[in-house]
């Protein structure tokens, strides 16, 4: 520690303090990949990680907001620092008010992480809209450390775009139907040019 007086003000400079614990969280959603084509679900991934180690056990709370979408409660998988599935006896998982909480995951050491994957299913039969939007936030806590992140996803049954082609002097239209891979039994598509 060094002390100096400059113009009547005393300044003390000491050694740099370093964090003894930290926690960060990331969140992503995958919709139009090969999995979504097969199962029609949104695939979410949460990563809670630390650079110097966590202060205590790790709690992860995920909140899904948006109408006509719900958690697939049996799809949650937690992987530990070694990449292996963490046994359900090592944590508590519960659901309440459009949220999922994973509590009491064992403390992480420096450079370690937990990865949580799960799916959510859009309910197309409960809406007359051609889109379903889902906002999703996640909070990770350990002792006094608190981290937040989120993602938004929009699924669409129908989209249309167009442009004027100067060479052929025509308008080129593209209509995409059912990129959300919903059951369209009974739907009728009409495209009227006026």
């Amino acid at each position: 520690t060094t002390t100096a007086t400059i113009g009547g003000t005393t300044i003390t400079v000491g050694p740099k303090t370093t964090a003894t614990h930290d926690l960060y969280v990331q969140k992503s959603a995958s919709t139009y990949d090969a999995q979504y084509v097969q199962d029609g679900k949104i695939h979410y991934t949460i990563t809670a990680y630390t650079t110097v180690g966590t202060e205590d056990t790790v709690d992860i709370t995920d909140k899904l907001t948006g109408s006509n979408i719900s958690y697939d409660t049996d799809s949650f998988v937690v992987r530990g620092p070694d990449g292996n599935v963490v046994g359900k006896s090592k944590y508590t998982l519960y659901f309440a008010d459009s949220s999922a909480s994973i509590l009491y995951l064992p403390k992480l050491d420096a450079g370690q992480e937990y990865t949580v994957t799960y799916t959510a299913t859009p309910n197309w039969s409960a809406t007359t809209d051609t889109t379903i939007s889902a906002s999703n936030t996640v909070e990770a806590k350990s002792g006094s450390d608190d981290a937040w992140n989120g993602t938004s996803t929009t699924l669409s049954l129908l989209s249309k775009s167009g442009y004027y082609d100067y060479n052929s002097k025509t308008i080129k239209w593209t209509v995409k139907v059912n990129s959300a891979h919903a059951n369209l039994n009974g739907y009728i598509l009409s495209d009227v040019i006026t």
Side-chain angles (χ1 to χ4, degrees):
T1 303
T2 303
T3 303
T5 302
I6 302 172
T9 303
T10 302
I11 300 172
T12 303
V13 178
K16 179 181 174 184
T17 58
T18 57
T20 58
H21 51 81
D22 62 4
L23 182 63
Y24 304 94
V25 67
Q26 293 178 331
K27 173 121 189 143
S28 65
S30 177
T31 54
Y32 296 106
D33 61 2
Q35 287 179 318
Y36 185 76
V37 170
Q38 292 173 9
D39 64 15
K41 299 174 184 289
I42 303 172
H43 294 254
Y44 288 101
T45 301
I46 299 167
T47 305
Y49 63 97
T50 179
T51 59
V52 295
T54 58
E55 184 177 6
D56 202 348
T57 58
V58 177
D59 296 340
I60 299 170
T61 300
D62 188 87
K63 183 151 182 71
L64 184 61
T65 54
S67 59
N68 304 315
I69 190 159
S70 59
Y71 289 112
D72 297 322
T73 57
D74 59 351
S75 69
F76 281 73
V77 175
V78 180
R79 295 191 179 277
D82 59 3
N84 292 325
V85 174
V86 176
K88 291 186 179 185
S89 64
K90 302 275 186 190
Y91 61 90
T92 300
L93 171 64
Y94 77 92
F95 300 89
D97 299 325
S98 298
S99 68
S101 295
I102 302 163
L103 306 176
Y104 313 116
L105 285 164
K107 184 177 176 178
L108 291 170
D109 292 329
Q112 292 184 328
E113 68 183 28
Y114 286 113
T115 302
V116 179
T117 56
Y118 69 90
T119 58
T121 301
N123 183 359
W124 289 104
S125 63
T127 183
T128 57
D129 291 336
T130 60
T131 60
I132 289 180
S133 296
S135 294
N136 189 266
T137 58
V138 63
E139 177 185 21
K141 286 181 154 185
S142 179
S144 60
D145 294 317
D146 193 358
W148 290 82
N149 207 319
T151 185
S152 293
T153 304
T154 300
L155 304 174
S156 180
L157 289 178
L158 181 66
S159 66
K160 182 176 180 178
S161 62
Y163 67 93
Y164 180 73
D165 184 334
Y166 287 99
N167 293 329
S168 66
K169 298 185 181 356
T170 59
I171 298 174
K172 306 266 183 166
W173 294 101
T174 301
V175 177
K176 291 184 180 180
V177 179
N178 202 19
S179 56
H181 303 281
N183 180 350
L184 296 183
N185 189 24
Y187 281 70
I188 296 172
L189 172 67
S190 60
D191 187 25
V192 179
I193 298 176
T194 57

